[in-house]
Amino acid sequence: MNYTVSTRKRSDTWSYQIIVDGQYHSSKSGFKTKREAKRAGDTAALKIKTPERNKQTFKEIADLYIKDGMKAESTRRAYKQWLKNLEPIWHTEITKVTYQDVSPLIFDYYDTHKYNGTKSLVGFGKSVFRFASRKLKIDVDNPFDEITLRKQSDKTKREPRLFTFDEIIKLIDNEPNPGIKWLFVCAGLAGMRISEARATRPRAINLKSKRITIDKQRTESNKVKAVMKSEGGERSIRMHDRMIEEYLKLPIPINKDDFLLETFISSTAVKKAFEQQGYPETTLHSLRHSFATVCIQRGIDFKTLAHILGDKLETVISTYAHVNTDMQKLADDILSGKDLTNPETNNRIAQENQQ
């Protein structure tokens, strides 16, 4: 069923008019605001019974569900993404979708995605069927109710791909796109989140003190969060010399409050950049993990590192405490009994590692 709800102001009140499949159906007036009239019209339209109602496909019902109510734009965008992952059942009549149809889609998705993301996909499917049953009055069972996911603790956790400091520099050197290169710099040399790197403004960088201030996050919806993701997220970080060098290569906006990266760079574009350098299934967050590991390797204590990363101490210890190849080599040297306080020994170790 295709419907439109138009609104009109008469005197001091608003009214709605419903058009179903191109034909006028009903109207009502007396609403205080346009929003109230539109919402009432949508609700009334969904209650209209048509002979084709029970023959609607899963996608038709899902589209109605996404359109229904006062959902935020970000919520509708997320729902449309979930819907894409259920494409194989799009054209199946809603009353004929079974557990056997949906379970392979969910568990295949879970093989390559995290627990929470898969749980959200299942939740979306449940909501579509509840919408069909409760609002559209379609007699249908909910196949998503039968799906049970293993808890995160029961699933093997994928460790992030860790880069050594030299590998981070090589990654930056080999990236041709200036915007993506800057994201690599921010994550690999300052431990910034991708949303923080995207939100960099010229006023946040002080070349005299060589520090960058982080106080905003730019999301996938191209909006800026007024509140940081975590407590202590607002912070000032000492810039690496290479970070300053790359910053000076970028076109600096005249207005210091403008974004340094005028063009928004998506997570997908960053992922493709990693793939082109031979690192499939790698995200920018891996560089944040790598930065934290290099800091620990070089003697920065966890409390200071927590401030640099803008995270809680407990989170840093449990999430970012990794061992990279350089740290393993150092441990091997110590356990082998080499005198690391002797400069000659250190030079010999360095030469061995290069070989």
Side-chain angles (χ1 to χ4, degrees):
M1 179 186 72
N2 295 316
Y3 76 90
T4 58
V5 176
S6 59
T7 57
R8 181 179 177 184
K9 190 174 183 180
R10 295 179 178 177
S11 298
D12 293 329
T13 61
W14 286 84
S15 63
Y16 69 73
Q17 183 182 64
I18 301 174
I19 304 296
V20 179
D21 294 329
Q23 295 183 348
Y24 167 80
H25 193 274
S26 65
S27 63
K28 189 174 181 181
S29 60
F31 298 97
K32 294 180 180 179
T33 64
K34 181 179 180 180
R35 175 176 290 187
E36 185 180 346
K38 179 67 168 62
R39 189 169 188 177
D42 284 335
T43 302
L46 294 172
K47 292 179 180 179
I48 297 172
K49 295 185 180 296
T50 64
E52 297 78 18
R53 176 61 57 79
N54 287 341
K55 294 184 179 180
Q56 286 182 281
T57 64
F58 175 80
K59 186 175 186 300
E60 288 172 334
I61 300 295
D63 287 339
L64 285 175
Y65 168 65
I66 294 171
K67 182 179 179 182
D68 180 50
M70 305 299 293
K71 300 181 183 72
E73 176 60 30
S74 58
T75 302
R76 290 197 297 270
R77 187 182 296 109
Y79 284 174
K80 289 177 182 178
Q81 186 60 49
W82 297 136
L83 184 56
K84 287 181 181 179
N85 292 295
L86 299 174
E87 185 174 357
I89 62 171
W90 277 8
H91 304 298
T92 304
E93 290 180 18
I94 190 76
T95 56
K96 295 181 179 179
V97 178
T98 66
Y99 173 79
Q100 287 83 357
D101 295 321
V102 301
S103 59
L105 304 180
I106 297 301
F107 292 117
D108 284 347
Y109 182 87
Y110 194 26
D111 283 341
T112 55
H113 293 76
K114 294 182 180 180
Y115 173 79
N116 287 338
T118 309
K119 187 177 178 181
S120 296
L121 179 59
V122 173
F124 170 75
K126 287 182 178 180
S127 298
V128 171
F129 274 85
R130 282 198 293 266
F131 173 79
S133 175
R134 297 174 185 177
K135 275 205 170 184
L136 303 183
K137 307 303 179 184
I138 297 175
D139 184 14
V140 61
D141 293 327
N142 195 331
F144 287 90
D145 283 340
E146 305 301 321
I147 293 177
T148 303
L149 297 175
R150 293 170 291 158
K151 293 182 180 179
Q152 185 70 22
S153 57
D154 298 328
K155 186 183 178 187
T156 303
K157 186 176 180 181
R158 290 188 300 173
E159 289 293 324
R161 201 293 182 192
L162 290 181
F163 296 83
T164 64
F165 179 78
D166 289 341
E167 287 174 333
I168 293 173
I169 296 299
K170 184 177 179 181
L171 194 70
I172 295 169
D173 287 340
N174 294 337
E175 176 51 48
N177 184 301
I180 294 178
K181 184 192 286 280
W182 175 250
L183 296 184
F184 283 171
V185 167
C186 290
L189 300 181
M192 294 164 63
R193 300 178 178 88
I194 185 171
S195 56
E196 295 170 342
R198 289 189 188 118
T200 307
R201 303 172 190 265
R203 64 171 171 78
I205 294 177
N206 187 324
L207 293 178
K208 187 175 181 180
S209 62
K210 297 185 177 181
R211 301 193 75 83
I212 179 170
T213 301
I214 301 167
D215 60 358
K216 291 287 185 294
Q217 291 184 332
R218 190 178 178 189
T219 65
E220 291 283 2
S221 61
N222 212 14
K223 295 181 179 179
V224 178
K225 291 184 180 179
V227 180
M228 296 296 284
K229 180 178 180 180
S230 59
E231 196 174 319
E234 296 185 13
R235 59 204 189 275
S236 174
I237 301 174
R238 174 65 161 79
M239 297 175 69
H240 190 279
D241 287 347
R242 180 60 186 276
M243 189 175 191
I244 296 174
E245 179 185 332
E246 294 300 335
Y247 168 73
L248 294 174
K249 292 179 182 178
L250 292 171
I252 310 300
I254 297 176
N255 186 344
K256 292 188 176 181
D257 286 330
D258 289 343
F259 291 127
L260 189 61
L261 300 182
E262 182 180 352
T263 302
F264 183 87
I265 299 174
S266 68
S267 299
T268 302
V270 175
K271 190 175 180 180
K272 287 182 180 179
F274 275 112
E275 290 176 353
Q276 289 170 356
Q277 292 208 39
Y279 302 109
E281 300 302 321
T282 306
T283 66
L284 200 71
H285 209 64
S286 294
L287 288 184
R288 178 172 159 88
H289 279 264
S290 301
F291 169 82
T293 304
V294 170
C295 286
I296 295 170
Q297 172 193 355
R298 295 186 172 184
I300 295 179
D301 65 273
F302 281 102
K303 190 171 183 179
T304 303
L305 180 58
H307 169 72
I308 294 172
L309 294 175
D311 252 320
K312 293 181 180 179
L313 177 60
E314 297 80 6
T315 303
V316 172
I317 294 174
S318 62
T319 305
Y320 295 103
H322 305 287
V323 177
N324 64 18
T325 54
D326 286 347
M327 295 167 74
Q328 187 62 58
K329 288 178 182 178
L330 178 61
D332 290 345
D333 291 336
I334 293 174
L335 293 174
S336 67
K338 293 178 180 177
D339 181 9
L340 301 183
T341 61
N342 188 326
E344 294 182 3
T345 303
N346 284 331
N347 290 334
R348 187 169 65 256
I349 292 173
Q351 292 175 359
E352 291 174 357
N353 289 338
Q354 289 177 356
Q355 296 174 355

